[in-house]
Amino acid sequence: MKNYKVTLIPGDGIGPEIVAEAVKVLDAAGEKFGYSLDYTKILMGGCSIDEYGEPLTDEAVNTARSGDAVLLGAVGGNVGNSRWYDVAPDLRPEAGLLKIRKELELFVNMRPAYLYDELKDACPLKNEVIGDGFDMVIMRELTGGLYFGERYTKEIDGVMTAVDTLTYNENEIRRIAVKAFEIAMKRKKTVTSVDKANVLDSSRLWRKVVKEVAADYPQVTYTDMLVDNCAMQLVMNPGQFDVILTENMFGDILSDEASMITGSIGMLSSASLGKTKLGLYEPSHGSAPDIAGKNIANPIATILSAAMMLRYSFDLDDAADAIEKAVAQVLKDGYRTSDIMSEGMTLVGTDKMGDLIKETLCKDTIMR
Ligand code: IPM
Ligand code: MG
């Protein structure tokens, strides 16, 4: 039987609850599809700060590096929590996430945004805008740009001044662009590259390099779009997008917007990938400390992230398909967590949603 080593990072807030549901589903799929997973837990985020005084220890990074994939819940808490936030930026919970992405060289972040028919009611857009729905994936550069540039705050000429730097070199742009075109080849063969080339030098280089890469993929329709226009197009005509390729901060912002039009940020999975098979899989949402421990969080984004792990790190496409189908079936059967609840549906908690997906997966109707 195939066996894989999964590093689990439950993290903070709702993280432990949603990761527990994903593990439940992964193990059930393992029994059905003939694989087994060994889990090793590490601490990251606020819980690691409480234990070790830093958001991610080097030892934890080494554990993650020695496994086959990482499954993460969420990290962080209320910014009012002074124990976690009244410290230097590199000691805050979110710094753990940035560190693990950098250390594992996970330069690609894939965030699919797909509108389930059943969730049309939860979509905040009007029916005429939704049309036939949408199915896009945001390919966000993850280890460069503003989030990793030099930064400081100091007094210059008697005035407090803060500086963040936005740097991209052509190699960083090329490798994410290649990934985006490769993914587009397996989808609707359309890439929209998003930048701010009317203002930023980094965007002008971005556009030049993406154009060069596009020349190697003549079957792919490729267009450039300015980020402010893209933000508007996402709520005006989301159906036009297939693959959106963009830099780190634009991708951070646009992926939250894209997730919201799917009905709930609780539905959106993500995969962070690099050159090797070792990837990190996490829901696109945060740790939602206000609802932690109440058994009301939506575990679907994490369960779908676990399916992405099976697909991209372990090549277990059949098992991944089955999990995705089971999620769709449970939604079709009318079960909802509170974030996606609508009239006439059955409201369930976090653990019940996990159980339903697991049971549906185990039924013979969800075929290999
Ligand atoms: C995300 C999050 C992180 C990011 C934060 C928590 C650092 O917003 O994964 O989108 O900006 O990358
Ligand atoms: Mg974000």
Side-chain angles (χ1 to χ4, degrees):
M1 196 186 329
K2 289 184 216 146
N3 176 269
Y4 301 95
K5 286 189 282 180
V6 176
T7 307
L8 284 185
I9 309 182
D12 307 314
I14 58 171
E17 298 164 63
I18 54 182
V19 166
E21 298 314 309
V23 166
K24 215 186 244 179
V25 173
L26 279 171
D27 287 342
E31 274 181 36
K32 184 160 176 171
F33 291 91
Y35 67 81
S36 67
L37 304 180
D38 289 333
Y39 303 100
T40 309
K41 274 191 194 171
I42 60 173
L43 296 183
M44 188 168 96
C47 55
S48 174
I49 296 175
D50 288 345
E51 184 77 21
Y52 304 114
E54 53 178 313
L56 181 69
T57 64
D58 290 340
E59 203 190 333
V61 171
N62 287 335
T63 304
R65 197 175 274 129
S66 68
D68 297 313
V70 182
L71 182 66
L72 163 68
V75 294
N78 289 316
V79 269
N81 178 343
S82 53
R83 205 169 72 244
W84 294 355
Y85 288 95
D86 286 352
V87 293
D90 61 340
L91 289 177
R92 292 180 195 150
E94 287 75 5
L97 186 54
L98 298 178
K99 177 173 171 180
I100 199 166
R101 289 172 178 167
K102 193 76 173 177
E103 289 287 331
L104 301 183
E105 290 182 77
L106 304 171
F107 60 89
V108 185
N109 186 226
M110 251 179 102
R111 295 185 169 178
Y114 169 78
L115 184 66
Y116 287 85
D117 269 353
E118 293 74 25
L119 294 187
K120 278 192 173 157
D121 283 349
C123 173
L125 303 179
K126 287 187 188 142
N127 278 334
E128 57 262 37
V129 174
I130 299 174
D132 294 334
F134 52 85
D135 179 2
M136 69 184 101
V137 54
I138 299 191
M139 301 288 288
R140 164 188 176 193
E141 199 291 327
L142 202 58
T143 52
L146 262 182
Y147 296 9
F148 289 92
E150 195 197 342
R151 72 177 98 256
Y152 55 87
T153 306
K154 68 178 180 192
E155 216 174 283
I156 300 178
D157 297 334
V159 185
M160 278 309 278
T161 307
V163 176
D164 295 287
T165 40
L166 167 46
T167 309
Y168 269 109
N169 69 42
E170 56 179 316
N171 299 334
E172 290 170 311
I173 300 168
R174 190 166 293 112
R175 62 184 184 179
I176 174 81
V178 167
K179 287 274 187 185
F181 280 86
E182 289 293 327
I183 293 290
M185 286 296 290
K186 297 186 186 187
R187 297 174 47 98
K188 288 173 277 173
K189 299 193 174 59
T190 307
V191 170
T192 309
S193 174
V194 175
D195 61 37
K196 188 69 185 171
N198 53 350
V199 179
L200 302 175
D201 263 42
S202 56
S203 283
R204 282 193 277 270
L205 181 63
W206 182 276
R207 213 173 251 218
K208 177 172 176 285
V209 175
V210 174
K211 199 171 171 193
E212 286 165 14
V213 173
D216 294 335
Y217 297 86
Q219 307 94 315
V220 176
T221 310
Y222 148 71
T223 39
D224 294 303
M225 190 179 275
L226 294 173
V227 62
D228 41 359
N229 183 26
C230 182
M232 186 176 81
Q233 296 293 334
L234 274 170
V235 290
M236 221 172 72
N237 179 12
Q240 71 185 285
F241 295 111
D242 176 23
V243 174
I244 293 181
L245 160 65
T246 192
E247 61 93 66
N248 203 343
M249 184 173 71
F250 297 160
D252 186 18
I253 298 168
L254 294 176
S255 62
D256 269 28
E257 187 185 359
S259 70
M260 202 51 231
I261 59 171
T262 66
S264 165
I265 194 164
M267 298 295 299
L268 209 75
S269 57
S270 88
S272 301
L273 310 168
K275 271 200 221 99
T276 69
K277 285 268 171 195
L278 172 56
L280 180 146
Y281 302 85
E282 55 168 321
S284 294
H285 60 71
S287 61
D290 48 321
I291 60 163
K294 295 186 177 159
N295 194 32
I296 57 175
N298 185 349
I300 292 181
T302 316
I303 291 170
L304 292 174
S305 302
M308 288 183 96
M309 174 175 85
L310 298 179
R311 189 185 307 284
Y312 294 109
S313 283
F314 309 153
D315 291 318
L316 295 167
D317 290 45
D318 290 352
D321 286 347
I323 292 177
E324 286 163 3
K325 277 187 203 148
V327 168
Q329 185 60 48
V330 168
L331 293 173
K332 223 172 250 150
D333 292 343
Y335 296 103
R336 302 283 187 274
T337 42
S338 58
D339 56 315
I340 50 174
M341 184 60 188
S342 60
E343 221 185 296
M345 300 295 128
T346 311
L347 183 66
V348 295
T350 310
D351 57 356
K352 180 73 181 166
M353 181 56 97
D355 288 341
L356 286 164
I357 293 169
K358 175 184 153 175
E359 284 157 21
T360 306
L361 175 78
C362 293
K363 282 186 198 146
D364 283 341
T365 43
I366 301 287
M367 281 320 295
R368 302 155 193 246

